[in-house]
Amino acid sequence: MKWEREANFCTAKQLKKYPMAGQGDEKILPESRKVENTMKRKKAILAIMLAGVITGMGTTAIAMPMTAYAATSTTTESTSTTDTSSTSDTATSTTIASNSTSSTNSTSTPPAKPDGDNGSAPSGNGGTPPEKPSGDSSNSSDSSDSSTPPAMPSGEAPSGDSSSAPSGEAPDGAPGNGGGQSQAPTSYTAATEFSSDTTTTDETYDSTGTDENAVLISGGKVVLNNPTVTRISSDSTGGDNASFYGVGASILNDGGEAYVNGGTITSDAKGGAGIFSYGDSATTYAKGVTINTTEDTSGGVHVAGGGTLYGWGLDITTNGESSAAIRSDRGGGTMVIDGGTYTTNGTGSPAVYSTADITVNNATLTANNSEGICIEGQNTIRLFDSDLTSNMPDNDQNDTTWSVILYQSMSGDSEEGTSEFDMVGGSLTSSNGGIFYTTNTASNFYVENVDITSTQDGGADYFLRVSGNTNARGWGSTGSNGADCTFTASDQEMDGDIIYDSIRTYS
C-alpha cells in the first residue's frame, strides 16, 4: 500500500505508538516537524574534483586543474527523517511503502557536478601546474567565487555537531578485520625509488621481492606517464603492515607529490595495493589508470596515515579478501574519485571501505561478493550520481546481511564517533540481504533521489536496521552495542521494513 505522508519517518517511540498507514489504516503517522538546515553540514566544500590532465614536454610538469565540487545549504520543507535510537534484544519491525515521496523546497540547487569530460586536457594554462588551493576546508561554498578552486579538504574528523561539514578519520579493510598493534616501518624496500623531481614516460617497473614496493615515492614531484607496473610475489605477507603503511604496495607514495597518468598496474602479491598514499605529506593524483589486483589485502586505491589521493576515470578490479576497490585504513586521510569503474570479487571487499573522508562522483561501483559500502567509526562516504551494486553472501558470523553498513568494530583502527553516509542521485542495487544497517555506533544517513532496488525474491530483508549485534567478531558488548541513527531522505522512494531494538546506547 501507499504511504504518502511526504515520506516522513518518525522516532522509534513513535513507531511503536503509531502503526504505519496501510496496516489496517487505523492510524497515520503524525506530521514531522519541519527539518531546518538538514544539509548544513554539507555547506562546506565537500571535495576537489580534477577535470583533466596534460602531459608537459621536456621538463614541464603534468598539469592538474581543479574544479570545485561544492555542496548545498538546503532547508527542506518536507524531508523524511528518522531519528531512531537503536533500542531491545527483540527487534521490532515497521513497514514503509512509498510509491510517492516528498519533494524538497531548497534554498539552493543540488551539488554542482565537475566540469569537463574527465579526460580532456585543460586549455589556457600554458602547461604549468595550477596553484594548490589554500584556506580552510570549512569555508562555505557560497562565500567563494565559483571559478575559484575550493580549499583542500583536511580529512579531519568533525567535532560532533551534525551541522558541521562531514569529514573523517581511520581503520581497517572490511568488517571484522580486527586491527593489530603493528608499528610503522622505519624504512621500505623498493625495486625503484624516487626521492626528487622526476618525470618518466612509458617505463616498466617490476617487483618480485617479499613485501617490496615496485615503486616508492619518498619525496619530490614525481610524474609517471603511462607506466607499466607489475608486482608479483608468492612470499609476501600482507596483513596490518600492508593495510596501515603500504608495505608491499605496487606504487607507494609516503612523502612526495605523485602523478600517475594512464598506464597499468598488475598485482599478484598479498598486500599488493595498486596505488597507496600514506602520511600527511603524501598527495597522489591518478588519471586513467587500469589496476588489477589478485591477492588479499590488495585494494585498488588506498589512503592511510592522513594521506591524500585524487583520482578520476580509473578502472579497478580486485579479487582478494579485504581488498576494497576504494580503500582506507588506520590514520585515515582524504580521497576524491571522479568517474571510472570499480569492481571487487572477494569476500569482505566492499566497493568502498572508509576509515577516512571519501567522496565519489559519477562512478560505477560493484561488489560481487561483499557489501557495497562499509564505514567504520567517525568517518564519511559521499556518493554523487554513482551506481552501486552489492551482493553480500550470508555468513554465520553475522546477525544479518546488508548492502551498506555503518558500524564500529572496536579494533582500534577508527575513532569512535558518528559515521556519515550521503548518497545523492544514481542507483543502489542490492542482490541479497537488507539495504542499510547500522550497529555499535552513532550514524547519519542522507539519501536523495536514489533508485534503490532489490533483486532478490521477495525484496530486501529490510530497508533500514538500527540494532545491536551478537556478531562473532566482537562489535562491542552484546546488550550495549546498539546504534543511534538519524536517517534523512529527500525526494526519495522507499520500500521495506525498519527494524530497531531497545538498546539506546553503544560502546
Side-chain angles (χ1 to χ4, degrees):
M1 295 185 180
K2 290 184 178 181
W3 173 40
E4 298 183 349
R5 300 293 296 178
E6 294 187 328
N8 290 323
F9 280 111
C10 57
T11 67
K13 288 183 179 179
Q14 289 171 322
L15 284 174
K16 292 177 181 178
K17 183 176 180 181
Y18 296 92
M20 300 298 295
Q23 296 182 339
D25 286 337
E26 63 277 344
K27 294 187 179 181
I28 61 173
L29 287 171
E31 289 290 341
S32 296
R33 297 189 307 271
K34 181 185 293 185
V35 181
E36 296 290 344
N37 297 324
T38 57
M39 292 289 281
K40 266 188 179 178
R41 64 186 185 277
K42 302 181 190 306
K43 191 174 182 180
I45 297 300
L46 290 182
I48 295 172
M49 288 299 179
L50 308 177
V53 175
I54 61 170
T55 303
M57 303 298 292
T59 59
T60 305
I62 198 166
M64 314 285 284
M66 311 214 176
T67 304
Y69 194 33
T72 64
S73 173
T74 304
T75 301
T76 58
E77 296 297 327
S78 53
T79 304
S80 138
T81 303
T82 305
D83 188 0
T84 307
S85 294
S86 149
T87 82
S88 57
D89 298 335
T90 302
T92 302
S93 174
T94 298
T95 300
I96 60 170
S98 176
N99 298 325
S100 172
T101 59
S102 66
S103 60
T104 303
N105 297 325
S106 303
T107 58
S108 54
T109 58
K113 304 303 184 295
D115 295 330
D117 60 0
N118 298 335
S120 60
S123 59
N125 62 2
T128 58
E131 293 184 0
K132 284 292 194 316
S134 60
D136 181 70
S137 65
S138 63
N139 290 342
S140 171
S141 61
D142 53 3
S143 65
S144 59
D145 183 73
S146 61
S147 65
T148 303
M152 184 75 74
S154 66
E156 293 291 314
S159 61
D161 178 3
S162 63
S163 67
S164 61
S167 195
E169 264 185 319
D172 180 30
N177 286 3
Q181 300 301 317
S182 177
Q183 298 296 316
T186 56
S187 63
Y188 293 92
T189 301
T192 301
E193 179 175 356
F194 299 102
S195 58
S196 59
D197 292 359
T198 307
T199 299
T200 71
T201 301
D202 297 332
E203 293 290 334
T204 297
Y205 305 96
D206 295 328
S207 167
T208 57
T210 301
D211 297 331
E212 175 184 72
N213 300 115
V215 176
L216 171 63
I217 299 164
S218 56
K221 179 181 290 184
V222 177
V223 181
L224 306 179
N225 294 313
N226 197 38
T228 300
V229 181
T230 304
R231 170 88 182 103
I232 299 176
S233 170
S234 60
D235 298 325
S236 290
T237 57
D240 288 344
N241 278 340
S243 293
F244 299 165
Y245 312 115
V247 172
S250 300
I251 296 179
L252 171 63
N253 176 14
D254 86 323
E257 186 176 317
Y259 300 82
V260 184
N261 182 26
T264 61
I265 299 172
T266 304
S267 167
D268 188 3
K270 290 181 179 178
I275 302 175
F276 197 120
S277 196
Y278 174 75
D280 293 336
S281 58
T283 301
T284 304
Y285 305 88
K287 172 188 175 286
V289 186
T290 298
I291 299 173
N292 287 279
T293 73
T294 301
E295 283 287 352
D296 298 344
T297 327
S298 300
V301 286
H302 193 140
V303 296
T308 300
L309 189 147
Y310 301 100
W312 62 105
L314 306 177
D315 184 353
I316 294 177
T317 303
T318 72
N319 294 287
E321 296 182 7
S322 301
S323 299
I326 300 170
R327 187 170 186 244
S328 62
D329 218 304
R330 181 171 292 185
T334 302
M335 198 180 314
V336 179
I337 302 294
D338 186 16
T341 302
Y342 307 83
T343 304
T344 66
N345 295 310
T347 58
S349 298
V352 187
Y353 179 83
S354 178
T355 63
D357 187 288
I358 298 176
T359 301
V360 179
N361 177 66
N362 192 32
T364 301
L365 308 165
T366 305
N368 286 318
N369 207 24
S370 177
E371 67 267 70
I373 294 291
C374 177
I375 305 173
E376 183 169 352
Q378 191 170 299
N379 297 292
T380 300
I381 291 175
R382 310 174 195 86
L383 304 182
F384 296 90
D385 293 335
S386 294
D387 295 321
L388 172 67
T389 301
S390 167
N391 186 22
M392 181 179 179
D394 296 333
N395 187 322
D396 290 342
Q397 289 185 304
N398 300 325
D399 301 286
T400 183
T401 304
W402 54 85
S403 300
V404 174
I405 184 172
L406 280 60
Y407 83 123
Q408 173 61 261
S409 73
M410 311 306 294
S411 66
D413 297 331
S414 65
E415 288 196 11
E416 294 181 38
T418 301
S419 301
E420 177 94 20
F421 176 69
D422 304 326
M423 188 170 186
V424 178
S427 65
L428 192 167
T429 303
S430 173
S431 299
N432 190 41
I435 307 296
F436 301 110
Y437 176 44
T438 181
T439 186
N440 199 39
T441 192
S443 57
N444 290 330
F445 294 82
Y446 181 86
V447 182
E448 179 181 338
N449 196 27
V450 180
D451 182 8
I452 301 175
T453 59
S454 172
T455 61
Q456 65 180 340
D457 293 341
D461 292 350
Y462 51 83
F463 181 80
L464 172 65
R465 179 174 178 133
V466 183
S467 69
N469 71 84
T470 57
N471 193 283
R473 301 176 181 89
W475 296 344
S477 300
T478 301
S480 58
N481 56 2
D484 295 315
C485 172
T486 299
F487 192 104
T488 304
S490 176
D491 192 22
Q492 182 61 51
E493 293 190 6
M494 295 167 286
D495 186 6
D497 292 344
I498 300 172
I499 299 174
Y500 57 96
D501 61 23
S502 62
I503 307 171
R504 291 189 174 276
T505 59
Y506 72 101
S507 59

